[in-house]
């Protein structure tokens, strides 16, 4: 038998993950069956189960992949001294993630923001997925905390606020922006960057006296 190349295996795995993501975004996790996934990707059960044992493993792989991309982007930024300002950094990373998923659509609209909201909902009743999400978001928050520390060390950000508080706030901004996209439709990530830049430009009146 001819040996299957790694490129072919990777492409098939990508096909399955993307098809499952569209199914979950369209109907939610519980309303989606493995038969729905098989139909979406147009593959046999054997071909899919070669890679994933079921829905739980599929959704876990999707979450780990996305959070891994986000974490890697922020880790790269953390190595700069100082890192890019928060408005540029958040918009850049979020825009990059959205761009990698732009081919996935449901009813003509981007599937990724809807998928994110479905994942958040599922974590409320799925302890294993919640653990995956906590670990992934924890790694992202840790990278952001170091980024904020670099801002403060460089003297470009006030130092009287704990870096973790700032990290949680920036993550909340990105997560809220994704939720808005799921609810109200697609918006360029640059909108978030511009909004953050405007907020960052405000001065505390007490500091100007």
């Amino acid at each position: 038998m001819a040996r299957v190349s790694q490129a072919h295996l990777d492409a098939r795995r990508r096909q399955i993950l993307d098809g499952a993501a569209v199914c979950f975004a369209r109907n939610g996790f519980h309303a989606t069956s493995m038969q729905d996934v098989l139909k979406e990707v147009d593959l046999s059960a054997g071909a899919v189960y070669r890679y994933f044992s079921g829905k739980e493993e599929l959704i876990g792989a999707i979450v780990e992949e996305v959070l891994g991309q986000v974490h890697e982007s922020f880790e790269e930024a953390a190595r700069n001294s100082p890192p890019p300002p928060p408005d540029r950094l958040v918009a850049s990373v979020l825009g990059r993630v959205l761009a990698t998923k732009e081919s996935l659509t449901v009813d003509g609209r981007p599937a990724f923001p809807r998928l994110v909201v479905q994942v958040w909902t599922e974590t409320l009743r799925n302890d294993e997925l919640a653990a995956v999400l906590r670990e992934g978001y924890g790694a992202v928050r840790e990278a952001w905390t170091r980024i904020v520390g670099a801002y403060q060390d460089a003297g470009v950000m006030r130092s009287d606020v704990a870096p973790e508080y700032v990290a949680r706030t920036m993550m909340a901004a990105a997560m809220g922006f994704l939720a808005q996209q799921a609810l109200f439709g697609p918006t360029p990530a640059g909108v978030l960057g511009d909004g953050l830049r405007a907020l960052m430009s405000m001065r505390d009146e007490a500091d100007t006296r």
Side-chain angles (χ1 to χ4, degrees):
M1 293 180 63
R3 184 176 181 180
V4 178
S5 69
Q6 187 60 48
H8 175 83
L9 294 173
D10 292 344
R12 182 56 54 84
R13 187 176 188 274
R14 174 83 275 137
Q15 178 186 358
I16 296 168
L17 285 174
D18 287 348
V22 169
C23 287
F24 296 146
R26 180 190 297 123
N27 299 319
F29 186 75
H30 283 278
T32 298
S33 67
M34 283 301 290
Q35 286 300 317
D36 294 327
V37 176
L38 297 179
K39 183 178 179 181
E40 183 71 31
V41 300
D42 194 23
L43 293 173
S44 68
V48 172
Y49 284 115
R50 176 180 183 180
Y51 295 86
F52 303 100
S53 62
K55 291 195 302 180
E56 287 76 11
E57 190 170 343
L58 273 167
I59 195 68
I62 292 169
V63 170
E64 287 181 342
E65 179 183 62
V66 172
L67 288 177
Q69 291 173 346
V70 174
H71 179 230
E72 182 179 345
S73 296
F74 285 134
E75 283 288 349
E76 180 181 342
R79 289 191 285 270
N80 295 325
S81 182
D87 56 316
R88 293 210 327 252
L89 181 54
V90 173
S92 172
V93 172
L94 189 57
R96 194 181 314 173
V97 172
L98 290 172
T100 65
K101 306 297 181 185
E102 64 183 357
S103 63
L104 307 181
T105 61
V106 173
D107 300 329
R109 295 175 62 177
F112 180 67
R114 292 178 57 166
L115 174 65
V116 170
V117 174
Q118 295 286 2
V119 168
W120 292 340
T121 301
E122 179 59 21
T123 59
L124 300 178
R125 52 179 170 250
N126 185 324
D127 291 340
E128 290 185 8
L129 182 59
V132 171
L133 210 65
R134 280 196 300 271
E135 181 178 353
Y137 277 125
V140 173
R141 186 172 65 248
E142 192 275 335
W144 250 114
T145 299
R146 286 190 287 108
I147 289 170
V148 174
Y151 292 148
Q152 293 175 337
D153 290 343
V156 296
M157 179 179 284
R158 57 190 301 164
S159 59
D160 60 341
V161 178
E164 184 179 351
Y165 295 177
V166 183
R168 286 180 177 273
T169 301
M170 299 310 299
M171 288 177 63
M175 294 167 73
F177 190 73
L178 282 174
Q180 286 190 48
Q181 295 225 2
L183 292 170
F184 310 128
T187 304
V191 171
L192 176 62
D194 289 345
L196 289 173
R197 188 177 309 113
L199 290 172
M200 290 161 54
S201 70
M202 293 184 65
R203 291 186 176 183
D204 188 332
E205 290 186 3
D207 293 339
T208 62
R209 292 172 185 168

